[in-house]
Amino acid sequence: MTNNVFKRTTLALGFALMAPLAAWSQVSLSVNIAPPPLPLYAQPPIPGDGYLWTPGYWAWDAATGGYTWVPGTWAEPPSIGLLWTPGYWAFGGGGYLWHRGYWGSQVGYYGGLNYGYGYTGSGYAGGRWDHGHFRYNATVNNLPAGRVQNVYRAAVPQRPAHQESFNGGASPYHAQPTASERRFEGATHGNPTPAQVDHETRAISMPEQRMANNHGVPPTAATPRPGGFGDPQVEHVRAAPEMQRAARPQVQAPRGGEQRPEGDKR
């Protein structure tokens, strides 16, 4: 793609960021290079009550003409009752289209990708809002004791977890949005928070996070907070066998019973 095309794309996205999101998921850019596979990483411990998990993703950096890994992180929603729909890449029209993530009253379509930790490809099984408080599913979240107030345990159906980071084309992910997800795509959505935007901007500015330099193994795979690249609890990429042997995350037991920590299978 030419620099002029990149500039036009960047301007279009800039205008979209400044406008209310009537259909944010439809705002996208197109590149002709497939995004790299998703790195394997463990979820950092939640920093405190009220944070929601947002998966990591490969962002396209027009300035360098390549992909940069934006770490998964725990983020605070802009208001009570909102859930995060992750962004996703999809192959179509001979290119790879990026659909940016957004906040909304429900979780919309994100390409059917299995991002793990409750994002199994459809909806979100990592928790839910209940009377103004968020309840966390301890089965798929890293919840150290005492950090959150409302915890429950619910089994999450396991779907095949492929490392491809896009839908369609040569990817094994070919799920299409349901009728409900299509309707929600046309609803009013919320922008990523300033902290999330800053998180992505910082990742893109770090040469070590670029695919061209790390060859798909970014040094910072996930952070406990947006922008927390220097936090001692950042997570690094793990090999598949290590992920299989990894100890289960610590979790807070619901009142009235003991439980063993259990993590999300990716």
Side-chain angles (χ1 to χ4, degrees), residues 36-94:
L38 294 170
L40 296 173
Y41 59 89
Q43 185 187 67
I46 191 171
D49 217 356
Y51 284 80
L52 273 63
W53 180 247
T54 61
Y57 55 93
W58 288 105
W60 180 261
D61 179 15
T64 61
Y67 288 99
T68 293
W69 177 251
V70 179
T73 193
W74 290 97
E76 294 180 287
S79 65
I80 292 173
L82 296 184
L83 298 168
W84 178 248
T85 295
Y88 68 96
W89 289 95
F91 181 80

Side-chain angles (χ1 to χ4, degrees), residues 40 163 238-245:
L40 296 173
Q163 284 188 260
R238 302 190 181 195
E242 183 181 351
M243 287 296 293
Q244 294 171 0
R245 298 193 304 267

